[in-house]
């Protein structure tokens, strides 16, 4: 092999090492950012008994009552730990509110509220995009919980009730900025960058 060919192979090998090293660093960086974001928020999921129109409508009625109630009890919360404690202390109240809505609508489904760490894919929420990964969620299961769920970010409060105007409030964004770094917040709000980054470098 000529000296020129040897030099070319060395350059190619060096480029490959640089590329894969850069890709690995980007992947670790994206994964770490997701973990940091997940460590600062609590997602809220209300899962319907089934996917029938009736059960899905009931799910929305339940979530409206719960978002109002939970918004009140968490309105002065300043940390995720405090939010977790308040939610834990109010699980029975939350379940009873949901059961009341269900009873008013002539159904007899049971309700279970609990915390759960789960994997979630990339989700667009209003004008924000949340990366895939493990998140803590406060879940409310209605009946068999075999239907699609409704979700929002419960802490900091980014929940919006009007699905025809699915935009996170400026106040909610300011609260979110208060618990995230600039880089983490940018990852959520720069939807195009996030989707590209997680398509190529997501876990």
């Amino acid at each position: 092999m000529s000296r020129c060919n040897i030099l070319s192979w060395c350059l190619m090998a060096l480029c490959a090492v640089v590329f894969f090293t850069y890709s690995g660093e980007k992947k670790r960086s994206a994964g770490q950012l997701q973990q940091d974001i997940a460590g600062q928020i609590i997602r809220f999921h209300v899962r319907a008994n089934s996917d029938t129109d009736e059960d899905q409508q009931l799910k929305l009625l339940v979530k409206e009552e719960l978002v109002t109630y939970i918004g009140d009890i968490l309105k002065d919360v300043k940390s995720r730990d405090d939010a977790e404690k308040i939610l834990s202390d109010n699980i029975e109240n939350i379940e009873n509110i949901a059961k009341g809505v269900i009873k008013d609508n002539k159904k007899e489904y049971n309700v279970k509220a609990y915390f759960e760490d789960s994997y979630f894919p990339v989700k667009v929420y209003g004008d924000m995009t949340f990366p895939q990964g493990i998140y803590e969620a406060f879940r409310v299961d209605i009946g068999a919980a075999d239907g699609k769920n409704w979700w929002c970010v419960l802490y900091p409060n980014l929940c919006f009730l009007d699905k025809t105007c699915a935009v996170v409030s400026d106040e909610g964004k300011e609260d979110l900025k208060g618990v995230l770094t600039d880089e983490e917040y940018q990852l959520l709000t720069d939807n195009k960058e996030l989707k590209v980054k997680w398509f190529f470098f997501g876990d």
Side-chain angles (χ1 to χ4, degrees), residues 76-95:
D76 296 321
V77 168
K78 301 300 183 185
S79 73
R80 195 178 85 154
D81 288 344
D82 288 344
E84 288 175 343
K85 185 178 187 310
I86 291 173
L87 289 169
S88 295
D89 291 344
N90 283 274
I91 280 181
E92 185 175 354
N93 291 338
I94 290 167
E95 290 177 342

Side-chain angles (χ1 to χ4, degrees), residues 13-139:
L14 179 61
C15 287
V17 169
V18 170
F19 173 78
F20 286 113
T21 299
Y22 174 76
S23 297
E25 289 176 351
K26 291 288 283 186
K27 182 174 181 178
R28 287 193 298 272
S29 176
Q32 186 60 55
L33 282 171
Q34 183 278 325
Q35 291 174 27
D36 292 342
I37 292 169
Q40 298 296 330
I41 70 173
I42 300 174
R43 295 173 65 143
F44 181 44
H45 291 248
V46 180
R47 188 171 294 277
N49 176 68
S50 74
D51 280 332
T52 65
D53 291 343
E54 190 175 24
D55 281 346
Q56 286 294 312
Q57 183 59 35
L58 180 61
K59 172 195 72 178
L60 296 178
L61 295 174
V62 168
K63 70 89 176 173
E64 287 175 6
E65 290 295 319
L66 293 184
V67 167
T68 299
Y69 174 75
I70 294 173
D72 286 341
I73 64 175
L74 295 185
K75 65 181 179 181
D76 296 321
V77 168
K78 301 300 183 185
S79 73
R80 195 178 85 154
D81 288 344
D82 288 344
E84 288 175 343
K85 185 178 187 310
I86 291 173
L87 289 169
S88 295
D89 291 344
N90 283 274
I91 280 181
E92 185 175 354
N93 291 338
I94 290 167
E95 290 177 342
N96 286 336
I97 290 170
K99 289 175 183 176
V101 175
I102 293 167
K103 184 177 180 180
D104 288 345
N105 285 270
K106 307 297 190 292
K107 295 292 184 180
E108 297 182 355
Y109 300 140
N110 191 29
V111 175
K112 182 179 180 182
Y114 57 99
F115 285 99
E116 178 183 66
D117 288 333
S118 296
Y119 170 84
F120 296 101
V122 173
K123 287 286 188 179
V124 176
Y125 182 69
D127 52 356
M128 295 183 156
T129 304
F130 285 80
Q132 65 183 357
I134 303 295
Y135 290 86
E136 180 181 51
F138 185 68
R139 279 189 55 170

